Amino acid sequence: MRSVLPASLVALLLFSHSSQTHGVPYASRVTINSAPSLARFASVVAPTTAEVSFVLNEPADEVAYRVNGGPLQWLDGSTKGTKTFPLSSPLDKFSILVKNMEAEGYTIPTGGTALSAANGLSQSVPASGLRLVSDDTSPLNSFNAARGVGVNLNPNSPNFGIAYIGNALFGPTADSARYLSRGVYAVAADGSDAFGYGDFFPDSGFSFPGGGSIAWRLAVGTDDEVYVADGALLSHGLVRLEGQLWMSYPVLAPGFGPPPLPPEANHGRITGFVISGSPYDGTLVVHTVDRDFSSSQIGGTDTSDLNSVWRYDLGFDAQFSAQMPTNVNTENVLPPIGTPDLARGTDGKFYLSNSLLSGSSAGIVVLNPQGEPIYDSLTASRAMLNDTNIADVMRNVMGIAISPDQKWLAAMLRSGDVAILPVVDGIPDLSGVMVVNTALGPLPGRGVAFDAAGNIHCIVAGTGVSYRVISPGGTTFATTTWDGTSMGFKIAGAPEPASLALAGVGVVAVSMVRRRRLLAA
């Protein structure tokens, strides 16, 4: 498999033929710290100097920086953690460049097979490689009831790269690594305790009145706020916390108990959601998928469109909002049972997952921005395998995520393994599906999220090591830049999607002609 790298990036970093094997290293939590010089002239403070600090999530083959377009300056990349370099002025511009070569990862086939009996799919599929970024020996990766997971993708945030994991219950982990409360925990990109809270969740006011499992889903907004959805019947349904987790605010009005919901209810049990905009500038929009809410709540007669996508245009109204949502779907695309998840691509498409075992309904559905269904994996399975009665290959999907570059879709399976599908123009290519054994089973998979570099963060229900970060592999160049106004981040060189297909219970390669025919179906 050949990756085409921009010549300018190749010229920036040397190929060192290092034998290290890591994930996708990148510079997270980049900050500029200014300090006045000790030299003084009368009451005038001399011009300040500055220092840049960042957190390297993993050891890397090469780490370098350049200031104001000058020559490359090399840093020690053999260890992860905090790195620093000086600036002569806080006004300096700079770039941080991280290069790595990795022969194993979730985008790279191993030549083996992931058996359907083990992962809940209807067919056996190709296996891809497992390359851990996280450290199983760290107690910070152990939970007793892990639920939602989300990662800060904003390079301008001091929380860039931090992963937030929800924990549903009080109690010890099975490996006795720690005793946890119900709440949200923050792990920095290098696996350290992001804010030094230890096993203590600081926001004692964070609670759902229903008393059910918290943090069924979790996401980080572009405003650095952490949003948490709950599966309890009597709950606020959606709560936001500021990025350091000290304060929480219910976004929606409290829930109303088991269905049928009363007419005034504006949500039920929210099983998936996506966030755009921010309440701070009046642009907050929330899309949810809700297992109890139907069109009958907003004046309609349809009570069967449960598990639909709903839109709340909240704007500044992001606390105890009683706003009624609008239905995004143009037709019902998921059955009114199960526990779906929701993701959204940068082009506005919606990705829904379905947790049902039978495979008689689609496990993955894609809607265009207008809410019209444009893809489902049941139809794609039957077309690819030329069998109108076969069960969906992608059944039993517990969580779903789309990569920031929209090249890959990750589907968390009930087994705790993760299915990886290449994405072409926003549409998953089932012919390229692979499964990576995360070694997190056998407890049910709960959530999955991408970080900015394309590493996948995955969790299972617990107890013990239930949070892992896995790498796509390949040769990667991660670049973080400061142009004097804002930070920018880009990743280049990761493996491109392969073209593979299923035939019966085996795996065969398909031609590009076959692949184009399937995508056009």
Side-chain angles (χ1 to χ4, degrees):
M1 192 176 301
R2 181 172 179 264
S3 297
V4 179
L5 305 179
S8 58
L9 283 177
V10 175
L12 287 175
L13 295 176
L14 300 177
F15 288 91
S16 65
H17 306 289
S18 170
S19 61
Q20 295 179 12
T21 54
H22 308 295
V24 175
Y26 71 106
S28 66
R29 302 187 82 175
V30 182
T31 58
I32 304 172
N33 306 302
S34 301
S37 169
L38 295 177
R40 294 175 180 270
F41 299 93
S43 61
V44 179
V45 177
T48 60
T49 58
E51 181 182 74
V52 176
S53 68
F54 65 92
V55 175
L56 184 66
N57 67 318
E58 268 290 294
D61 291 344
E62 308 285 357
V63 180
Y65 69 94
R66 61 176 11 135
V67 178
N68 296 328
L72 283 175
Q73 307 291 326
W74 300 95
L75 296 172
D76 179 14
S78 64
T79 59
K80 64 182 180 180
T82 300
K83 311 290 180 181
T84 63
F85 59 88
L87 300 177
S88 59
S89 165
L91 302 179
D92 286 342
K93 302 174 184 180
F94 61 84
S95 299
I96 305 169
L97 305 109
V98 183
K99 172 248 177 181
N100 203 62
M101 299 169 65
E102 176 56 63
E104 189 174 23
Y106 68 75
T107 65
I108 302 174
T110 64
T113 300
L115 298 178
S116 60
N119 54 48
L121 304 180
S122 71
Q123 307 292 318
S124 296
V125 303
S128 58
L130 174 65
R131 173 58 61 193
L132 282 182
V133 178
S134 54
D135 179 5
D136 284 354
T137 66
S138 171
L140 297 177
N141 297 331
S142 290
F143 293 87
N144 65 320
R147 293 295 184 266
V149 59
V151 186
N152 190 306
L153 305 179
N154 180 8
N156 285 285
S157 169
N159 300 331
F160 177 48
I162 291 176
Y164 297 87
I165 301 103
N167 192 69
L169 300 172
F170 292 95
T173 58
D175 54 9
S176 301
R178 52 182 181 160
Y179 191 100
L180 300 176
S181 63
R182 297 170 71 240
V184 178
Y185 292 82
V187 179
D190 65 348
S192 62
D193 188 337
F195 304 119
Y197 298 153
D199 298 341
F200 171 69
F201 174 54
D203 183 13
S204 58
F206 179 82
S207 63
F208 291 104
S213 64
I214 71 159
W216 180 255
R217 302 292 184 197
L218 190 153
V220 183
T222 56
D223 57 1
D224 294 347
E225 303 283 271
V226 179
Y227 292 79
V228 182
D230 180 32
L233 292 172
L234 294 168
S235 78
H236 299 303
L238 191 67
V239 169
R240 69 182 171 92
L241 301 92
E242 53 81 32
Q244 292 196 11
L245 306 178
W246 279 104
M247 299 292 292
S248 61
Y249 311 89
V251 174
L252 301 178
F256 298 90
L261 300 175
E264 67 271 22
N266 70 338
H267 70 88
R269 286 168 289 182
I270 296 171
T271 63
F273 68 95
V274 291
I275 301 292
S276 59
S278 169
Y280 298 113
D281 61 6
T283 61
L284 181 65
V285 176
V286 177
H287 288 89
T288 69
V289 57
D290 194 311
R291 65 186 296 173
D292 304 315
F293 199 85
S294 70
S295 293
S296 63
Q297 305 295 128
I298 53 175
T301 59
D302 191 352
T303 60
S304 66
D305 60 347
L306 307 177
N307 286 337
S308 291
V309 179
W310 302 91
R311 177 183 174 117
Y312 299 80
D313 290 284
L314 296 180
F316 291 106
D317 182 25
Q319 190 164 340
F320 290 107
S321 175
Q323 178 187 126
M324 286 290 181
T326 56
N327 193 327
V328 173
N329 296 57
T330 60
E331 61 184 82
N332 299 347
V333 294
L334 293 183
I337 56 174
T339 307
D341 194 12
L342 179 66
R344 196 177 192 190
T346 55
D347 62 357
K349 292 185 180 72
F350 296 95
Y351 299 82
L352 295 98
S353 64
N354 186 345
S355 63
L356 298 182
L357 280 165
S358 67
S360 59
S361 58
I364 296 174
V365 175
V366 182
L367 309 178
N368 67 15
Q370 293 74 44
E372 300 164 335
I374 55 176
Y375 170 89
D376 74 78
S377 54
L378 177 61
T379 301
S381 295
R382 291 174 172 178
M384 183 174 65
L385 298 172
N386 195 28
D387 185 342
T388 58
N389 296 312
I390 200 167
D392 189 357
V393 172
M394 294 304 305
R395 65 184 182 179
N396 207 24
V397 179
M398 300 295 291
I400 198 168
I402 185 83
S403 63
D405 61 8
Q406 286 205 169
K407 291 183 178 179
W408 301 96
L409 183 143
M412 170 58 75
L413 307 177
R414 185 176 293 271
S415 65
D417 291 345
V418 176
I420 309 296
L421 289 84
V423 175
V424 181
D425 295 329
I427 302 299
D429 180 5
L430 191 61
S431 71
V433 65
M434 297 181 288
V435 168
V436 54
N437 181 352
T438 67
L440 281 172
L443 291 169
R446 290 302 190 197
V448 63
F450 285 91
D451 64 26
N455 299 301
I456 292 178
H457 299 243
C458 43
I459 57 170
V460 297
T463 58
V465 177
S466 46
Y467 165 62
R468 273 186 158 183
V469 184
I470 60 177
S471 164
T475 299
T476 54
F477 293 83
T479 306
T480 307
T481 57
W482 170 250
D483 64 6
T485 302
S486 64
M487 295 283 183
F489 178 80
K490 61 182 179 180
I491 189 82
E496 294 297 320
S499 180
L500 299 172
L502 304 172
V505 296
V507 182
V508 297
V510 294
S511 68
M512 293 303 294
V513 173
R514 168 68 169 157
R515 181 183 179 193
R516 286 194 293 269
R517 185 164 64 247
L518 290 174
L519 290 173

